Amino acid sequence: MRKALIVEDHPIVRESLSKLIDSSVLDLDCQHVTNAHDGLAWLNGNKAEIILLDINLPDISGIEFCTIVKSRFAGIRVLAITSSEQRLVVEQMLAAGADGFILKSSDTSEILEAIKQVINGNQYISAGVTALLSNKQAPGSDIPLLTRREVEVLKLIADGFTNPEIAEKLFISPWTVDSHRKNLLLKFNAKNTAILVKTAVTNGIITF
Amino acid sequence: MRKALIVEDHPIVRESLSKLIDSSVLDLDCQHVTNAHDGLAWLNGNKAEIILLDINLPDISGIEFCTIVKSRFAGIRVLAITSSEQRLVVEQMLAAGADGFILKSSDTSEILEAIKQVINGNQYISAGVTALLSNKQAPGSDIPLLTRREVEVLKLIADGFTNPEIAEKLFISPWTVDSHRKNLLLKFNAKNTAILVKTAVTNGIITF
DNA sequence: GAATATATCCCTGTAAAAGGGGATTTTTTA
DNA sequence: TAAAAAATCCCCTTTTACAGGGATATATTC
């Protein structure tokens, strides 16, 4: 029997998904773990057909988990499930190789359909998510993709460090930090640090 | 038969709770709505014994909803359910008159126990939540309670407005805004706007 | 190898925030 | 009603951020 692994820390959702799959026509043996660490441990001893993956895990982010799974375990398909409808999160998840994406606000029939599609090798993106991705405007507007260094600087800004302090931490000149900061403001179309940090946090760039 | 109302926007959680109650020994007729607005409309035509209330609703916050319910409908008991384990949220919810508090990470047996206790007139606070409330340190430290005006100013700060702009919006002097800002920094023990906004967002004071 | 992206560094202003003091009036609560 | 809390207003100094220009070196990608 083919196996499915649920990686999800909320018991309600976990058990609900479990029961949903068990009572469906899908022929899947449904296992579950509560965090990424246990998930990887399980995968080392078992073979799963599909992983139902929550994005908010207690240890590492679902995005990182997906990246690891996709690089280390060939052929496993990943269906991401999230409650946050934030575009950057969705984009990063898809970039990490997720085969499907549904929202917790999807109803049960849609979830089953998504599982079916993903197992069959198709990519299933929930309508709600598609809507989220489609309203992509002119390049440079809305939510931007950041470089590694920019994310690094952004996190330090959000932690309350000033340019000189960040410069010291990263062993670079304060001018450079200032450049990154300006680029961040530009990319986010933010007029100051306050709204920059707010949008960064609400879009999951800064994990709290 | 006594009625229970579930106010929750995620179908998975909603249906799971529904089934949980239906298949339990609790003698409750379980109805559900997806947002606060429908919830209030339902309550105008029906009498509920208990409300299972999600904190993150699509329209207004669960805290506001709880306040309204408690003021307009006497005798209805409210059991709050949340995925966020942020202390301020919990405190505000309890201040709003919630009779119980469980986390989505609570297991099913605990949820049923909580419902039972709350219906019997007891207050049920999940162990995880209690732990959260208990590590209250010296007053003035950690997460502070804000005044109405401070929250108002804080939200505008997070939206990127400067002191003069906020002053204009609130019809007060820029000096006053500056005072509120200083108090916010003091209360949050934040050295600048960046970390102030970050902690405010992560603690659910600024709803996004 | 050429083009692009990323990261780095620098200067000059102006505007805003932060740190340090105050003070008075209004509202809420005990 | 008296005390406490909240909201209001004011000044001065220093630091930081923001806007506007640059430039160069190192990776990456095509």
Side-chain angles (χ1 to χ4, degrees):
Chain A
M1 196 182 199
R2 292 178 306 179
K3 287 178 182 171
L5 178 67
I6 298 172
V7 185
E8 160 75 71
D9 59 327
H10 295 330
I12 306 181
V13 178
R14 194 170 60 236
E15 290 182 24
S16 178
L17 278 174
S18 223
K19 280 177 194 163
L20 183 67
I21 294 171
D22 287 344
S23 61
S24 74
V25 293
L26 297 168
D27 200 32
L28 284 170
D29 173 24
C30 203
Q31 301 292 314
H32 44 75
V33 293
T34 60
N35 57 57
H37 181 262
D38 291 355
L40 291 173
W42 189 91
L43 288 169
N44 278 324
N46 301 271
K47 194 176 161 8
E49 189 84 11
I50 183 172
I51 296 175
L52 301 181
L53 175 61
D54 183 24
I55 285 199
N56 300 306
L57 298 173
D59 40 4
I60 62 168
S61 82
I63 293 159
E64 288 175 81
F65 181 78
C66 184
T67 310
I68 295 169
V69 166
K70 282 290 174 177
S71 66
R72 287 230 287 263
F73 306 96
I76 300 184
R77 305 196 61 79
V78 174
L79 177 58
I81 305 172
T82 184
S83 47
S84 84
E85 307 188 12
Q86 287 148 2
R87 208 170 88 190
L88 196 88
V89 172
V90 176
E91 286 180 339
Q92 288 183 334
M93 198 70 207
L94 292 175
D99 303 285
F101 219 111
I102 50 173
L103 302 169
K104 281 187 186 169
S105 49
S106 307
D107 57 33
T108 50
S109 62
E110 190 187 352
I111 294 171
L112 287 177
E113 180 62 27
I115 295 172
K116 217 180 294 178
Q117 291 295 329
V118 166
I119 286 180
N120 288 339
N122 302 319
Q123 193 179 50
Y124 185 93
I125 312 283
S126 172
V129 179
T130 312
L132 207 68
L133 292 172
S134 66
N135 61 352
K136 211 170 197 168
Q137 292 148 6
S141 70
D142 217 350
I143 297 165
L145 286 177
L146 305 176
T147 67
R148 247 174 271 160
R149 204 52 155 179
E150 280 165 352
V151 173
E152 210 168 352
V153 171
L154 178 54
K155 282 180 179 169
L156 290 168
I157 289 173
D159 281 333
F161 296 105
T162 64
N163 287 349
E165 288 168 343
I166 296 170
E168 206 180 340
K169 275 182 182 289
L170 301 180
F171 304 105
I172 53 177
S173 155
W175 307 110
T176 309
V177 180
D178 194 56
S179 284
H180 289 306
R181 188 175 210 130
K182 281 172 187 168
N183 284 330
L184 284 165
L185 290 172
L186 202 72
K187 285 192 176 182
F188 277 88
N189 195 26
K191 61 178 252 188
N192 58 32
T193 304
I195 191 153
L196 171 71
V197 170
K198 186 196 168 191
T199 48
V201 174
T202 58
N203 283 93
I205 294 160
I206 296 163
T207 34
F208 33 105
Chain B
M1 194 183 200
R2 294 179 302 179
K3 286 177 183 172
L5 178 66
I6 298 172
V7 185
E8 159 75 70
D9 60 326
H10 295 330
I12 305 182
V13 178
R14 194 170 60 237
E15 291 183 23
S16 179
L17 279 173
S18 223
K19 281 177 195 165
L20 184 66
I21 293 171
D22 287 344
S23 61
S24 74
V25 291
L26 297 168
D27 200 33
L28 286 170
D29 174 24
C30 203
Q31 302 290 313
H32 44 76
V33 293
T34 59
N35 57 58
H37 181 262
D38 292 354
L40 291 173
W42 188 92
L43 288 169
N44 279 323
N46 301 272
K47 193 175 160 14
E49 189 85 10
I50 184 172
I51 296 174
L52 301 181
L53 176 61
D54 184 24
I55 285 200
N56 300 305
L57 298 173
D59 40 6
I60 62 170
S61 82
I63 293 160
E64 289 175 79
F65 182 78
C66 184
T67 310
I68 296 169
V69 167
K70 283 288 172 178
S71 66
R72 287 230 289 264
F73 306 96
I76 299 184
R77 305 195 62 79
V78 175
L79 177 59
I81 305 172
T82 184
S83 48
S84 84
E85 308 186 13
Q86 287 147 5
R87 207 170 88 190
L88 196 89
V89 172
V90 177
E91 285 180 339
Q92 288 182 335
M93 198 72 207
L94 292 175
D99 303 285
F101 219 111
I102 49 172
L103 302 169
K104 281 188 187 169
S105 48
S106 306
D107 58 33
T108 51
S109 62
E110 189 187 353
I111 294 171
L112 288 177
E113 181 61 28
I115 295 172
K116 219 180 294 179
Q117 292 295 329
V118 167
I119 287 181
N120 289 340
N122 302 319
Q123 192 179 50
Y124 186 94
I125 312 283
S126 172
V129 179
T130 311
L132 208 68
L133 292 172
S134 66
N135 61 351
K136 211 171 197 168
Q137 293 150 4
S141 70
D142 217 354
I143 297 164
L145 286 177
L146 305 177
T147 66
R148 249 174 268 158
R149 204 52 153 179
E150 280 166 351
V151 173
E152 209 168 352
V153 170
L154 178 54
K155 281 180 180 169
L156 290 168
I157 289 173
D159 280 333
F161 296 105
T162 64
N163 287 347
E165 288 169 344
I166 295 170
E168 207 181 339
K169 276 181 183 289
L170 301 180
F171 305 104
I172 54 177
S173 154
W175 306 111
T176 309
V177 180
D178 193 58
S179 283
H180 288 306
R181 188 175 209 130
K182 282 172 186 168
N183 284 330
L184 285 166
L185 290 173
L186 203 71
K187 284 192 176 181
F188 277 89
N189 194 28
K191 61 177 253 187
N192 58 31
T193 304
I195 191 154
L196 171 72
V197 170
K198 187 195 167 190
T199 47
V201 173
T202 58
N203 284 93
I205 294 159
I206 296 164
T207 34
F208 36 103

